[in-house]
C-alpha cells in the first residue's frame, strides 16, 4: 500500500498551515498514496501560551480537523493527523495534544491524547514544560484500519518502550510517532529510539516530523529536528527525509512484520517476573 509521510514546518497560523497541508495531501494522493500522515501540532506550532489561547479551538470547532476530514472523504484516503493542539473543558484550562486517525469517508476512527509530557531541560538555555499547557492522556489507543491495527503515539512517547510493547502485544503491526523533536535531542536520540521501537516490537514505525525554523508571530523562536523516518520491522531505516519540507512515499506491507516476528518472536516470550 502506498503511504506518504508529510514533513512540514508549521507556523502559529492555523489557516495558513491548513492550506499548506491540504496542498501536500492532494499531491500525495495524486501520486497514489492511500494513507497520508502528518506531524505533531499540524494545526499550530507556538511557544506563546497567549497565542495558543487565542487560536486553538475545541475539537468540534477546529478548522484543521474539519478541513482534513473533508479532504480525506473527497479523496477516499486514510489520513493520520499526527496531532492537533485542542482546547479542552478541563478546569485548569490546559489543552490536549491529540492525534486523529481519519477514515476514507472522513470519519474519526480513533483519537489519542499524548500520554507523556515533555518536561525537560535540554540545555542551559532550552527548557520545555509541556505539562504547563497540555494535560496528559490516560489511555493507549489502537486504530482499526483496513490495512491493520495501528498503535498511536506522539513524540516524547517514543522514550517509553512499555507503551509500544503494550500496543504491539494488543495487535498493532504499525506504530505512528508524529513529532516536533528538539534538534538537540533529535541529533542524539531520534533515529536509534525509532529503530529500537521497531526492533523490539516487529512493527513498522512511521514518524512524520516538523522541521526547520518555524514562523512565529509571538514567543520564543522554535526550531525542530526534521528527519521524518520510516523504519521497517527488522530495524532498517527506509526513509530519512532530511531537513527540508516535503512528501515521502513508500510501500507498506504486512509481509515484513510476519517475517521479522518469525525470525525473532520476542513478543511471544514476554514473561512476568518478581522484584527487583
Amino acid at each position: 500500500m502506498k503511504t506518504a509521510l508529510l514533513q512540514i514546518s508549521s507556523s502559529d497560523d492555523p489557516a495558513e498551515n491548513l492550506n499548506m497541508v491540504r496542498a501536500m495531501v492532494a499531491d500525495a494522493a495524486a501520486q497514489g498514496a492511500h494513507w497520508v500522515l502528518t506531524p505533531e501540532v499540524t494545526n499550530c506550532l507556538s511557544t506563546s501560551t497567549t497565542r495558543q489561547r487565542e487560536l486553538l479551538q475545541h475539537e468540534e470547532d477546529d478548522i484543521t480537523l474539519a478541513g482534513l476530514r473533508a479532504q480525506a472523504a473527497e479523496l477516499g484516503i486514510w489520513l493520520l493527523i499526527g496531532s492537533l493542539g485542542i482546547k479542552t473543558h478541563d478546569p485548569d484550562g490546559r489543552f490536549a495534544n491529540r492525534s486523529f486517525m481519519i477514515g476514507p469517508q472522513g470519519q474519526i476512527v480513533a483519537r489519542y491524547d499524548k500520554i507523556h509530557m515533555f518536561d525537560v531541560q535540554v540545555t542551559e538555555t532550552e527548557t520545555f514544560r509541556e505539562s504547563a499547557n497540555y494535560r496528559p492522556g490516560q489511555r493507549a489507543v489502537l486504530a482499526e484500519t483496513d490495512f491493520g491495527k495501528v498503535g498511536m503515539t506522539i513524540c516524547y512517547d517514543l522514550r517509553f518502550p512499555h507503551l509500544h510493547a503494550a500496543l504491539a502485544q494488543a495487535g498493532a503491526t504499525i506504530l505512528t510517532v508524529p513529532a516536533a523533536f528538539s534538534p538537540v535531542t533529535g541529533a542524539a536520540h531520534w533515529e536509534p529510539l525509532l529503530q529500537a521501537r521497531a526492533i523490539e516490537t516487529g512493527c513498522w514505525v512511521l514518524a512524520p516530523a516538523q522541521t526547520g525554523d518555524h514562523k512565529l508571530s509571538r514567543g520564543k523562536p522554535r526550531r525542530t529536528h526534521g528527519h521524518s523516518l520510516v523504519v521497517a520491522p527488522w530495524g532498517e531505516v527506509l526513509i530519512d527525509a532530511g531537513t527540508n519540507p516535503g512528501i515521502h512515499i513508500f510501500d507498506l506491507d504486512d509481509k515484513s512484520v510476519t517475517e521479522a516476528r518469525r525470525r525473532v518472536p520476542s513478543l511471544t516470550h514476554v514473561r512476568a517476573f518478581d522484584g527487583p
Side-chain angles (χ1 to χ4, degrees):
M1 183 184 72
K2 284 196 178 298
T3 304
L5 296 192
L6 304 188
Q7 181 158 283
I8 65 176
S9 186
S10 290
S11 70
D12 59 1
D13 182 336
E16 178 181 84
N17 295 331
L18 177 58
N19 288 336
M20 169 187 63
V21 171
R22 281 178 58 89
M24 295 176 77
V25 169
D27 191 349
Q31 295 182 56
H34 181 60
W35 184 24
V36 180
L37 298 86
T38 77
E40 184 180 21
V41 289
T42 291
N43 61 335
C44 179
L45 191 153
S46 176
T47 59
S48 166
T49 302
T50 302
R51 181 72 169 161
Q52 289 172 322
R53 296 203 184 284
E54 289 175 358
L55 293 175
L56 298 187
Q57 300 295 323
H58 292 95
E59 180 179 315
E60 58 270 24
D61 300 317
D62 186 81
I63 62 168
T64 305
L65 179 59
L68 292 180
R69 288 182 66 186
Q71 188 175 28
E74 174 190 343
L75 298 172
I77 62 170
W78 287 86
L79 180 60
L80 180 87
I81 304 174
S83 86
L84 303 176
I86 295 289
K87 283 184 176 176
T88 72
H89 297 288
D90 283 7
D92 64 8
R94 286 188 295 175
F95 311 118
N97 192 344
R98 183 171 297 162
S99 185
F100 294 87
M101 182 69 81
I102 309 300
Q105 286 78 48
Q107 74 277 29
I108 298 174
V109 173
R111 299 169 176 82
Y112 166 71
D113 285 2
K114 184 177 182 180
I115 293 173
H116 300 98
M117 298 288 97
F118 191 49
D119 291 353
V120 303
Q121 183 169 339
V122 176
T123 68
E124 289 185 1
T125 59
E126 189 176 16
T127 299
F128 296 89
R129 291 289 179 267
E130 188 176 18
S131 65
N133 291 329
Y134 287 85
R135 60 106 198 264
Q138 301 294 326
R139 185 172 64 90
V141 174
L142 276 179
E144 299 271 359
T145 74
D146 61 11
F147 46 86
K149 294 181 178 180
V150 179
M152 299 169 67
T153 77
I154 300 171
C155 202
Y156 190 53
D157 286 330
L158 176 59
R159 294 181 180 273
F160 300 88
H162 59 284
L163 171 60
H164 301 81
L167 291 165
Q169 288 161 357
T173 57
I174 303 162
L175 301 171
T176 53
V177 192
F181 237 67
S182 155
V184 175
T185 58
H189 301 148
W190 173 243
E191 184 172 320
L193 285 172
L194 289 165
Q195 286 184 289
R197 299 297 84 84
I199 293 165
E200 291 162 354
T201 62
C203 286
W204 285 95
V205 175
L206 312 182
Q210 294 276 355
T211 192
D213 293 303
H214 296 270
K215 187 173 72 174
L216 306 181
S217 60
R218 277 184 246 166
K220 296 178 181 178
R222 179 76 192 277
R223 182 173 178 80
T224 50
H225 179 61
H227 293 280
S228 300
L229 291 188
V230 174
V231 186
W234 194 245
E236 313 98 311
V237 174
L238 302 186
I239 288 176
D240 180 336
T243 57
N244 293 323
I247 301 166
H248 298 270
I249 295 179
F250 62 99
D251 287 315
L252 191 71
D253 69 84
D254 292 333
K255 294 179 182 178
S256 298
V257 174
T258 302
E259 179 61 13
R261 292 179 178 181
R262 182 194 66 78
R263 294 170 73 182
V264 182
S266 57
L267 289 176
T268 68
H269 297 159
V270 176
R271 291 176 55 85
F273 49 86
D274 297 327

